[in-house]
């Protein structure tokens, strides 16, 4: 299939933003080519032997890469979450409502190759087209450089900033209850529950900041093994973030080569 080529400067600009230089620039060209442009190109070249490539197949592949990387990261970070909790969080992270913000951050609209009809109807700002292009780029990166490179981009732009934003805003509890997940994880392992201690309270009365520690005790000896420390505008928010840190500590201890903490 023939690809519609973007300019060298355009390609370099997007590659710099992604943190990946394509070995096969044609893959990037294809990822940014909407079907409307591809079909128009075919009409203009009716005798061409090759079909003009669009981004639909790459979008299909990129969607799968996005889902895998997101699911794997959540599985690694939150070992105490049940399937429902993990599924709810993953659904948000791969949703069109979230991905459109990532596509806009990367300014994908200015790189798109659109047919004249889509161009006139504002295709560069259409959510569906932008999200499809983002997924197609992930698919192109996967083919060009493999899973680890694609994973780095997914984590940097899609997963980690959103998780951090929820935690910082105290919104994480609406999607995940870290305290409950930690409680269930420790119960299942036969371990003592953590102790939450407020170690600092600062700021004016109308805008308090609370610093909370979640103290995890060792399985043997009862000494403090790990301390999650977090700040929040409410004690509840700070406790949730501190519990998240303890969960991540437990997940790291359970990784191959670190021994089994159960």
């Amino acid at each position: 299939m023939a690809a519609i080529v973007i300019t060298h400067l355009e390609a370099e600009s997007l590659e710099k933003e992604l943190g990946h230089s394509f070995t096969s620039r044609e893959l990037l060209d294809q990822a940014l080519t909407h079907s409307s442009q591809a079909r128009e190109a075919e009409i203009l070249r009716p005798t061409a032997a090759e079909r003009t490539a669009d981004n639909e197949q790459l979008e299909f592949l990129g969607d799968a890469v996005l889902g895998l990387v997101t699911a794997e990261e959540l599985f690694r970070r939150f070992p105490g979450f049940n399937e429902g909790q993990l599924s709810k969080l993953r659904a948000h992270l791969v949703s069109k409502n979230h991905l459109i913000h990532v596509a806009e951050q990367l300014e994908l609209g200015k790189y798109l190759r659109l047919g004249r009809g889509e161009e006139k109807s504002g295709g560069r700002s259409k959510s569906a087209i932008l999200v499809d292009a983002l997924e197609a780029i992930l698919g192109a990166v996967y083919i060009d450089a493999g899973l680890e490179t694609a994973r780095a981009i997914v984590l940097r732009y899609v997963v980690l900033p959103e998780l951090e934003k929820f935690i910082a805003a105290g919104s994480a509890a609406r999607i995940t209850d870290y305290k409950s997940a930690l409680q269930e994880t420790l119960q299942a392992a036969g371990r003592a529950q953590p102790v939450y201690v407020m170690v600092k309270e600062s700021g004016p009365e109308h805008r308090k900041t609370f610093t909370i520690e979640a103290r995890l005790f060792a399985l043997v000896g009862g000494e403090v093994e790990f301390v999650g420390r977090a700040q929040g505008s409410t004690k509840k928010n700070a406790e949730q973030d501190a519990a998240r840190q303890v969960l991540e500590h437990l997940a790291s201890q359970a990784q191959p080569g670190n021994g089994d903490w159960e």
Side-chain angles (χ1 to χ4, degrees):
M1 291 188 292
I4 297 171
V5 180
I6 65 175
T7 69
H8 181 71
L9 288 177
E10 287 174 327
E12 281 194 340
S13 175
L14 183 53
E15 287 176 333
K16 183 177 179 180
E17 190 68 30
L18 291 171
H20 171 66
S21 296
F22 280 81
T23 302
S24 173
R25 187 62 63 76
E26 285 189 357
L27 283 169
L28 180 58
D29 296 336
Q30 182 180 345
L32 295 168
T33 301
H34 187 254
S35 58
S36 61
Q37 174 62 46
R39 301 296 81 79
E40 283 188 11
E42 289 173 351
I43 291 173
L44 294 174
R45 299 184 300 108
T47 60
E50 289 185 306
R51 179 176 179 270
T52 302
D54 60 41
N55 64 8
E56 291 182 353
Q57 285 189 322
L58 287 174
E59 173 205 340
F60 170 78
L61 179 59
D63 178 68
V65 171
L66 173 64
L68 172 62
V69 172
T70 302
E72 185 179 41
E73 181 66 14
L74 295 178
F75 176 83
R76 184 189 68 80
R77 278 177 170 261
F78 309 119
F81 284 12
N82 60 38
E83 182 183 1
Q85 291 171 311
L86 292 171
S87 295
K88 187 174 183 179
L89 186 50
R90 180 187 60 185
H92 169 73
L93 291 171
V94 303
S95 70
K96 305 298 183 185
N97 288 338
H98 172 49
L99 295 179
I100 182 58
H101 298 301
V102 179
E104 290 172 346
Q105 178 187 352
L106 292 168
E107 298 183 294
L108 294 186
K110 69 182 183 182
Y111 302 108
L112 294 176
R113 295 295 170 263
L114 303 175
R116 285 173 292 181
E118 278 295 348
E119 189 76 68
K120 290 179 180 178
S121 65
R124 292 187 185 278
S125 60
K126 288 183 179 179
S127 296
I129 292 177
L130 289 169
V131 171
D132 288 350
L134 173 62
E135 292 177 336
I137 287 172
L138 295 177
V141 170
Y142 172 76
I143 293 176
D144 191 66
L147 182 58
E148 291 309 309
T149 302
R151 184 199 311 280
I153 294 173
V154 171
L155 293 180
R156 183 165 70 248
Y157 284 105
V158 180
V159 176
L160 300 184
E162 188 69 357
L163 289 180
E164 291 171 3
K165 184 171 70 174
F166 276 120
I167 293 165
S171 307
R174 293 203 294 266
I175 294 182
T176 54
D177 184 348
Y178 297 106
K179 287 184 68 177
S180 295
L182 177 58
Q183 179 181 348
E184 293 171 6
T185 299
L186 294 174
Q187 283 177 345
R191 297 188 60 160
Q193 291 299 312
V195 172
Y196 296 91
V197 180
M198 187 176 72
V199 296
K200 186 178 180 181
E201 179 180 337
S202 60
E205 195 63 36
H206 66 285
R207 197 167 60 187
K208 290 281 189 183
T209 297
F210 300 93
T211 302
I212 301 287
E213 288 185 351
R215 298 173 182 173
L216 174 70
F217 298 98
L219 188 59
V220 178
E223 299 295 326
V224 175
E225 172 187 319
F226 179 81
V227 176
R229 185 182 176 99
Q231 291 183 337
S233 56
T234 68
K235 294 178 184 178
K236 182 178 179 180
N237 292 345
E239 288 176 350
Q240 287 284 354
D241 194 12
R244 175 189 62 81
Q245 293 174 30
V246 177
L247 278 167
E248 291 187 356
H249 165 73
L250 293 173
S252 69
Q253 294 301 102
Q255 294 298 308
N258 290 334
D260 189 348
W261 50 266
E262 293 187 16

